Amino acid sequence: MTIENISRNKSFGGWHKQYNHHSTRLNCQMRFAIYLPPQTLTGAKVPVLYWLPGLTCSDENFMQKAAAQRIAAELGIAIVAPDTSPRGDDVADDDSYDLGKGAGFYVNATQAPWKSHYQMYDYVVSELPDLIEKTFPVTQQRAIAGHSMGGHGALTIAMRNPERYCSVSAFSPISNPMNCPWGEKAFSAYLGKDKEAWRQHDASELMRSSTQHVPALVDQGEADDFLATQLKPEALLAASQASNYPLQLRQHEGYDHSYYFIASFIEEHLRFHSEYLKAG
């Protein structure tokens, strides 16, 4: 598979790079970012944290705003951030910010006009890691994390693929998308009206019935404007208690939905993942 390097910036002794490539699963050109810590410059292979961005975001938001590179360099962890959806002139879109481009919701769409490109679940779980592991000095030790829509994606992908991920974390995840406006709108469009199909992409539903556990850390700001209507962490907590799932759910007074919140606690998330990546 051919990839094209489109930018590179040295950071804390390592390199942040952006690449374009053609995705066969999404049937379009895609961009991703990777941070390679300084250990890779001397021949070491390192584990990978996959970061899934939220609504309207791309690979750039986390890499530019979260201040994660310093700790990733110390711990020897690569970070990979994909885009949030397929892109291109022939890719279906919607006028609203919460559907279409920038809002792939990390599912495999089954409904027209979305299904020809919106296969983000397969892209994140299989195609992108295969590309990363064939191209860069990384191991097959993986963790996954994300924010908001990306937190939803990280939690559901980890729980559906416990053999592929050592740990999972999320900031402000959409915890119960079957029962919130963002999720109902996206799932209706991408997956159709059969709500049984939705359950496989709902973190609370998956956690409630989980028998194979991936250690999970979730941080939620109590001043988040979306807390009550869209995020519903109480559903995730109830599900974890029902299945005895190893979830740490922390709520933080005064913090909102922004990258100021993420930057405040990203070090703790990276150290959390490092513990399991090294053990794995």
Side-chain angles (χ1 to χ4, degrees), residues 50 123-133 142 164:
Y50 289 87
Y123 178 72
V124 169
V125 172
S126 300
E127 186 178 13
L128 182 60
D130 286 350
L131 173 61
I132 297 298
E133 290 164 15
R142 312 176 196 94
R164 291 184 64 85

Side-chain angles (χ1 to χ4, degrees), residues 73-230:
E74 174 195 328
L75 297 174
I77 297 174
I79 302 174
V80 172
D83 203 344
T84 47
S85 76
R87 306 278 182 173
D89 292 342
D90 61 340
V91 173
D93 200 9
D94 190 87
D95 290 337
S96 58
Y97 75 96
D98 52 359
L99 188 66
K101 295 177 187 178
F105 268 83
Y106 306 103
V107 303
N108 286 341
T110 59
Q111 306 299 304
W114 313 102
K115 63 181 180 180
S116 60
H117 293 98
Y118 285 76
Q119 304 294 312
M120 287 297 294
Y121 176 88
D122 281 354
Y123 178 72
V124 169
V125 172
S126 300
E127 186 178 13
L128 182 60
D130 286 350
L131 173 61
I132 297 298
E133 290 164 15
K134 290 175 182 175
T135 307
F136 300 100
V138 301
T139 70
Q140 292 185 334
Q141 296 299 111
R142 312 176 196 94
I144 192 165
H147 173 227
S148 193
M149 179 186 73
H152 137 76
L155 289 167
T156 56
I157 285 171
M159 284 187 283
R160 290 183 61 181
N161 301 274
E163 75 287 352
R164 291 184 64 85
Y165 301 98
C166 298
S167 52
V168 59
S169 73
F171 288 87
S172 316
I174 305 172
S175 296
N176 190 200
M178 290 182 66
N179 295 302
C180 78
W182 278 339
E184 291 170 0
K185 179 177 181 177
F187 287 2
S188 294
Y190 299 144
L191 303 175
K193 301 302 183 182
D194 180 8
K195 291 196 173 183
E196 286 303 310
W198 299 10
R199 294 186 188 280
Q200 291 302 307
H201 299 284
D202 186 297
S204 295
E205 293 292 324
L206 291 170
M207 190 169 285
R208 183 175 296 278
S209 60
S210 175
T211 57
Q212 288 183 277
H213 297 162
V214 179
L217 171 64
V218 172
D219 278 331
Q220 175 63 60
E222 292 182 346
D224 192 316
D225 289 341
F226 305 111
L227 179 58
T229 56
Q230 303 282 13

